[in-house]
Amino acid sequence: MKLPHNISRIEAFSDAVFAFAATLMVVNFDMDSNLSITKSSATGFLSFFVSFFVLAALWWVHYNFFRRTNYMDNGIIALNSILLFVVLYYVFPLKDLVQSWMGEGVTTKEELANLFVMYGIGFLLIFLCFSLMYYRAFKRSRSTETATLLYFYARHFFIFVLVAVISVILAFFEVGLQFGFPGLVYAFLGPLCYSHSKRFSKKFQLD
């Protein structure tokens, strides 16, 4: 006899992992004992600020997946587990990347390239999991309206994957590294997602 999955347990476990990731950021946040404001402490605060709100944004994307579908199977549980595993490590290279922009931490071109590659792979894996989770839910959906919405987001997040692949390739071959091209590539997400939304709405005659 096949038992139904308990979605609330999966959501609770996921929230606990996100909370643990936030706790790790706080534990690793360095603060001078004399509370003096230095460049180092300002850089540390900025990297913590960026990392925390990126983590909050990822939680919001994850939260919305469970709002848009109540379908759950072992495949989605596996993808969700991979996603949570990557999230736990994702915020740390991001913290180092912010510090490198402030002129701290990274000292060589090779280190910066490796940081961009690490960041890009983390970004890629996270949104690949989101895309596949949406696609799997779409394939099992019985409602046409819900299926269309899930299919849209499966394609939407796959755009994030493609942009991350381009960034990783640029960083690996150190193309435009001195100008931050591997990072600037992510600015194309806005126009690409907007274009996809327009074309998708036109194709499926959505309002």
Side-chain angles (χ1 to χ4, degrees):
M1 179 179 177
K2 187 176 181 180
L3 298 175
H5 291 288
N6 190 326
I7 297 179
S8 62
R9 291 290 303 278
I10 298 167
E11 290 182 283
F13 173 73
S14 300
D15 286 343
V17 173
F18 276 102
F20 182 63
T23 302
L24 288 177
M25 284 193 297
V26 173
V27 170
N28 284 274
F29 177 60
D30 297 324
M31 173 65 86
D32 293 335
S33 57
N34 58 6
L35 299 180
S36 61
I37 299 177
T38 63
K39 181 182 178 181
S40 180
S41 62
T43 300
F45 176 79
L46 179 61
S47 63
F48 174 78
F49 175 87
V50 172
S51 298
F52 177 81
F53 281 100
V54 166
L55 182 66
L58 291 176
W59 176 86
W60 178 252
V61 175
H62 186 271
Y63 165 74
N64 281 330
F65 172 79
F66 288 94
R67 290 177 60 206
R68 293 174 178 133
T69 180
N70 58 4
Y71 176 78
M72 183 61 57
D73 63 12
N74 291 333
I76 292 180
I77 292 175
L79 289 168
N80 186 63
S81 299
I82 296 170
L83 168 65
L84 296 175
F85 173 81
V86 178
V87 164
L88 281 175
Y89 288 91
Y90 175 76
V91 293
F92 294 104
L94 180 61
K95 177 181 177 181
D96 292 336
L97 191 61
V98 173
Q99 289 177 337
S100 72
W101 290 338
M102 300 291 289
E104 294 189 12
V106 177
T107 57
T108 67
K109 189 176 180 181
E110 183 180 0
E111 288 179 346
L112 182 59
N114 290 337
L115 193 56
F116 270 120
V117 169
M118 188 185 303
Y119 172 83
I121 291 175
F123 189 93
L124 184 158
L125 289 175
I126 286 172
F127 286 100
L128 179 61
C129 287
F130 277 127
S131 180
L132 292 176
M133 286 165 64
Y134 271 106
Y135 186 75
R136 191 171 182 87
F138 151 70
K139 296 293 286 185
R140 305 301 192 278
S141 179
R142 297 179 180 178
S143 167
T144 303
E145 183 178 352
T146 301
T148 302
L149 180 67
L150 296 174
Y151 183 53
F152 169 81
Y153 281 103
R155 290 167 46 129
H156 173 79
F157 289 119
F158 194 69
I159 294 173
F160 286 55
V161 175
L162 294 177
V163 171
V165 169
I166 294 172
S167 175
V168 169
I169 292 173
L170 290 176
F172 183 80
F173 291 103
E174 299 185 1
V175 177
L177 197 61
Q178 63 272 30
F179 302 109
F181 281 171
L184 294 176
V185 165
Y186 292 97
F188 288 100
L189 281 173
L192 288 174
C193 290
Y194 177 79
S195 175
H196 166 252
S197 178
K198 284 292 186 182
R199 289 192 299 169
F200 189 92
S201 298
K202 184 177 181 180
K203 181 177 180 179
F204 290 91
Q205 298 180 345
L206 301 177
D207 295 330

